[in-house]
């Protein structure tokens, strides 16, 4: 199978914060890969705008180093790399002051290419930069603006940000990235559900016992202690990535695979989430170092911190499809394995025709592994092979994307490759709309408020364990179990 690549029209992409971490690790490698793939043409321009006093030559040199570290090693062809570097330019711009805006305008003014401004900067600069884009003349009617989380820290600030951006750009011009939506396997959720007739008839509370969504990481907070401690797992992961996954798994079939049709359905899920009162269905934890490794509190250099590095929530969706089927969501750092998956656990067979000696039947489980080792497993009960009468056992029907599609010559691109190209193509399907972001905050705000006012500290859990005891209890008390965390 050969990947079908449709080249995009040449574009001007201005990356504010173009010397920063995200640009170095994700954005520029993604653009390089897309150019190699023949999708983005070399006569496009990528202009980094940042505060450092650099010229285009030294910026290119930095990017060359960054690609050595972060692009796929087998793709580092010197000639193609040199061609990519020629598309790069650098402008020194002061996001809040006057400096540099004229130079940026000069670079862009004679170009009729479509413009993208990617704000890879702290959120407090979103407003000021957008305003300058308008007053400096850089904004055109076809300009697209890309922003990334945190999109506010509660409903009020998210609304204020949306309002501010709306005074400068139309909603059709604003691309709010949640990089989980760009992951191949996450997009595959929609293909799995809506391109196969098999699942839809049983995708409801009559047949589904419960759903588990896990995003577990082995890493701690690393060098982002300051940011993380102000946000915690609730703001950093739950409000966005996990709720987005929940939307995709729970939404009704959209009428079309089109931006507003998909986003309307996701919004309905968010609006149907049962409000949580207090922390009865919420477990928060903080990792404890083992073998001499630092605790969460040491990592964030805040001995009194009550911020959670783990959270598990039992969520209910009050609508016809899901009434009575709980969704258990958990995410955390320093857990046993890096593992993100969605598991749909079906109800038991209504009646067993087999004798007790056969062993019981087991519920079917459809597990969608998002990372690592992306794939899909369907757990089935079959007869144990061989003599000895009828004995039942469980087997996985296992499909790994890398094996199945790799054998056909396709590889799995990074989320940013897909998302940046979607911005350039003008496709907002995988981006969050203003009302979605607000609905997610509206639901999670009371949980965060309870977490911030409770006298209970997050429960400690050992690094590289499955998380706090109480998270296990959240499931046990309903007669259910989390799936094992294993890579
Ligand atoms: C980011 C969070 O949005 O997602 C990080 O801020 C987290 O804390 C990261 O580590 C996880 O992303 P991925 O793609 O590595 O699963």
């Amino acid at each position: 199978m050969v990947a079908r690549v449709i080249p995009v029209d040449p574009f001007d992409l201005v990356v504010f914060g173009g010397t920063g971490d995200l640009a170095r690790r994700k954005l520029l490698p993604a653009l390089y890969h897309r150019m190699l793939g023949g999708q983005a043409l070399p006569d496009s321009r990528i202009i980094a705008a940042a505060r450092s006093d650099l010229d285009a030559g030294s910026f290119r040199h930095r990017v060359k180093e960054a690609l050595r570290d972060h692009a796929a090693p087998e793709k580092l062809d010197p000639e193609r790399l040199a061609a990519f570097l020629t598309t790069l330019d650098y402008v020194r711009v002061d996001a809040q002051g006057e400096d540099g805006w004229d130079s940026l305008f000069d670079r862009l003014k004679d170009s009729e290419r479509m413009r993208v401004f990617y704000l890879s900067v702290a959120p407090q600069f979103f407003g000021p930069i957008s305003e300058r884009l308008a007053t400096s003349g850089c904004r055109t009617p076809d300009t697209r603006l890309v922003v990334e989380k945190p999109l506010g820290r509660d409903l009020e600030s998210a609304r204020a940000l949306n309002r501010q951006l709306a005074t400068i750009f139309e909603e059709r011009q604003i691309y709010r990235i949640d990089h989980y939506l760009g992951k191949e396997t996450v997009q595959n959720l929609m293909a799995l559900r809506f391109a196969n007739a098999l699942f839809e008839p049983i995708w409801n509370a009559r047949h589904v016992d419960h759903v588990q969504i896990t995003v577990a990481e082995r890493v701690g907070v690393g060098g982002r202690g300051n940011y993380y401690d102000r946000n915690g797992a609730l703001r950093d992961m739950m409000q966005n990535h996990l709720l987005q996954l929940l939307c995709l798994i729970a939404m009704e079939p959209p009428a079309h695979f089109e931006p507003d049709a998909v986003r309307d359905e996701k919004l309905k899920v968010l609006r149907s989430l049962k409000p949580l009162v207090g922390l009865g269905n919420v477990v928060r934890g903080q990792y404890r170092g083992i073998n001499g490794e630092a605790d969460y509190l040491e990592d964030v250099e805040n001995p009194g911190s009550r911020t959670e590095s783990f959270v598990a929530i039992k969520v209910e969706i009050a609508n016809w499809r899901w009434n009575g089927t709980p969704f258990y969501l958990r995410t955390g750092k320093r857990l046993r394995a890096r593992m993100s998956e969605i598991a749909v656990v079906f109800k038991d067979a209504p009646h067993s025709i087999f004798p007790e000696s056969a062993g019981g039947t087991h519920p079917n489980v459809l597990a969608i592994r998002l990372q690592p080792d992306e794939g899909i497993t369907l757990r089935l009960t079959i007869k144990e092979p061989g003599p000895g009468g009828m004995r039942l056992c469980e087997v996985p029907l296992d499909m790994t994307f890398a094996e199945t599609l790799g054998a056909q010559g396709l590889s799995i691109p990074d989320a940013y490759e897909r998302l940046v190209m979607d911005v350039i193509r003008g496709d907002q399907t995988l981006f969050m709309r203003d009302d979605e972001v607000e609905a997610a905050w509206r639901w999670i705000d009371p949980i965060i408020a309870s977490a911030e006012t409770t006298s209970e500290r997050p429960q400690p859990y050992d690094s590289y364990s499955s998380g706090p005891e109480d998270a296990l209890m959240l499931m046990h008390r309903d007669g259910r179990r989390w799936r094992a965390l294993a890579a």
Side-chain angles (χ1 to χ4, degrees), residues 160-413:
L161 176 63
N162 281 339
R163 272 199 221 114
Q164 187 175 27
L165 295 183
T167 59
I168 301 160
F169 294 99
E170 290 175 31
E171 183 59 28
R172 66 171 175 85
Q173 296 177 285
I174 304 174
Y175 290 72
R176 295 178 192 81
I177 286 197
D178 182 311
H179 79 277
Y180 264 62
L181 294 180
K183 290 184 191 270
E184 274 294 302
T185 31
V186 175
Q187 296 170 59
N188 234 316
L189 283 176
M190 284 186 275
L192 185 75
R193 286 194 57 197
F194 305 128
N196 295 285
L198 185 65
F199 298 115
E200 182 51 27
I202 53 170
W203 210 258
N204 55 48
R206 255 186 84 199
H207 298 281
V208 176
D209 178 72
H210 72 280
V211 176
Q212 301 186 18
I213 303 181
T214 299
V215 178
E217 297 182 277
R218 256 184 89 80
V219 292
V221 299
R224 301 160 73 223
N226 195 1
Y227 154 83
Y228 193 89
D229 202 40
R230 278 182 288 115
N231 290 281
L234 279 163
R235 286 192 174 97
D236 185 50
M237 298 292 287
M238 193 59 84
Q239 187 272 346
N240 38 77
H241 306 324
L242 278 93
L243 287 185
Q244 287 293 320
L245 295 179
L246 174 67
C247 286
L248 295 180
I249 208 79
M251 71 184 185
E252 297 299 316
H256 309 280
F257 189 61
E258 280 174 2
D260 279 335
V262 171
R263 298 185 300 175
D264 285 347
E265 296 307 334
K266 283 162 59 196
L267 180 64
K268 284 186 209 158
V269 174
L270 292 167
R271 288 187 174 160
S272 308
L273 297 179
K274 262 196 199 165
L276 288 188
V277 181
L279 294 173
N281 283 331
V282 180
V283 176
R284 298 179 318 122
Q286 249 181 16
Y287 61 79
R288 198 163 39 194
I290 55 163
N291 302 330
E293 269 191 300
D295 285 340
Y296 174 81
L297 298 176
E298 289 162 325
D299 272 349
V300 300
E301 296 175 7
N302 179 5
S305 172
R306 287 166 179 264
T307 303
E308 70 290 333
S309 60
F310 173 99
V311 66
I313 308 188
K314 177 181 172 184
V315 178
E316 287 173 272
I317 302 176
N319 66 15
W320 277 39
R321 185 186 286 268
W322 294 118
N323 186 43
T325 295
F327 288 69
Y328 298 91
L329 276 48
R330 67 178 160 166
T331 182
K333 300 217 180 266
R334 281 275 188 88
L335 293 173
R336 176 163 294 145
R338 174 170 183 255
M339 177 187 115
S340 299
E341 69 155 36
I342 299 172
V344 180
V345 181
F346 291 92
K347 292 192 169 160
D348 283 328
H351 161 73
S352 175
I353 61 167
F354 301 104
E356 246 175 57
S357 57
T361 57
H362 303 274
N364 298 122
V365 179
L366 177 71
I368 301 139
R369 290 190 305 277
L370 305 179
Q371 60 188 28
D373 195 22
E374 296 86 342
I376 297 174
T377 305
L378 181 61
R379 200 168 71 186
L380 298 172
T381 301
I382 61 159
K383 177 191 170 295
E384 210 177 270
M390 175 60 82
R391 254 199 289 275
L392 301 173
C393 68
E394 277 184 286
V395 288
L397 202 63
D398 205 345
M399 196 274 282
T400 301
F401 289 123
E403 256 173 44
T404 312
L405 301 176
Q408 299 177 37
L410 291 182
S411 60
I412 299 176

